Amino acid sequence: MAMDAKTIENLIHAGIPDADVRIEDLRGDGDHYAAYVVSPSFKGKSRVQQHQMVYNALEGRMGGELHALAIQTSLPKE
Amino acid sequence: MSNPALETIQKEIDNNDVVLFMKGEADAPMCGFSSMVVQVLRHTGVEFKDVNVLADNDLRQGIKDFTNWPTIPQLYIKGEFVGGCDIVREMYESGELKGMLEANGVKTA
């Protein structure tokens, strides 16, 4: 069962309220997305911790319902 | 009750400088993301231990619990979880991966 981009975006927003989120559908099959997440909350966190914040926002769907989500996290440009 | 899968994982990362938990084997990856990390490691010229999580379902779930990281592949350097495909690729492209390996005394090409 695939997911749509808007659901992914909403979940990440709910989990990381101050995030700027852009979802890209890589293959148009509803199963392979890229998520570009910019948030001040990432400050001082390692890449692993930043990605874990995104995974936690997805409430366990990653790897099950959502097969492939490439994640790129970054801090807002100062 | 101890979890044998977690013990296996701990043993692998304790006994090998670089360990890649992946789908398939280094010479026969079964997933694009796993294959990507294998290529990155080969380009970096570092020796690594590949562990095929598809061969053991307990291991496949155990590795996700071990790090609270929901996907495969997972790369470890000197017992530390480095990341999955995205992070390893980002670190490779920025040169951080080679830096981290060398800082940990791991020989690269």
Side-chain angles (χ1 to χ4, degrees), chain A residues 32 47-49 51-52 55-56 62-63 67-73, chain B residues 23 33 67-71 81-83 86-87 89-91 94 96:
Chain A
H32 294 77
R47 275 196 187 89
V48 168
Q49 289 164 329
H51 285 221
Q52 274 170 328
Y55 283 142
N56 293 337
M62 191 57 227
H67 172 63
L69 177 70
I71 294 176
Q72 191 153 44
T73 54
Chain B
K23 288 180 181 174
F33 299 114
T67 44
N68 180 30
W69 187 265
T71 58
F81 175 49
V82 175
D86 301 331
I87 289 176
R89 189 166 35 86
E90 244 177 82
M91 289 178 69
S94 69
E96 262 176 276

Side-chain angles (χ1 to χ4, degrees), chain A residues 1 13-14 23 27 32 34 37 39 59 61 65-66 70 74:
Chain A
M1 215 205 66
H13 266 308
I23 306 292
R27 294 199 195 150
H32 294 77
V37 186
S39 163
E59 294 159 357
R61 289 179 176 76
E65 214 175 307
L66 184 51
S74 57

Side-chain angles (χ1 to χ4, degrees), chain B residues 3-39 41 47-86 88:
Chain B
N3 178 329
L6 298 185
E7 283 165 20
T8 305
I9 293 163
Q10 191 62 59
K11 204 181 77 209
E12 291 289 2
I13 65 175
D14 288 345
N15 299 333
N16 299 281
D17 285 348
V18 183
V19 185
L20 177 63
F21 293 88
M22 60 178 288
K23 288 180 181 174
E25 280 142 22
D27 297 332
M30 310 263 282
C31 143
F33 299 114
S34 292
S35 171
M36 163 83 78
V37 177
V38 166
Q39 283 162 42
L41 293 174
E47 274 181 36
F48 63 96
K49 170 77 185 284
D50 56 341
V51 179
N52 180 9
V53 301
L54 298 181
D56 172 347
N57 249 340
D58 292 340
L59 191 58
R60 183 175 185 172
Q61 186 49 49
I63 191 69
K64 296 176 183 176
D65 301 336
F66 192 79
T67 44
N68 180 30
W69 187 265
T71 58
I72 305 289
Q74 295 188 18
L75 181 66
Y76 289 74
I77 295 175
K78 290 273 183 165
E80 187 196 333
F81 175 49
V82 175
C85 183
D86 301 331
V88 171

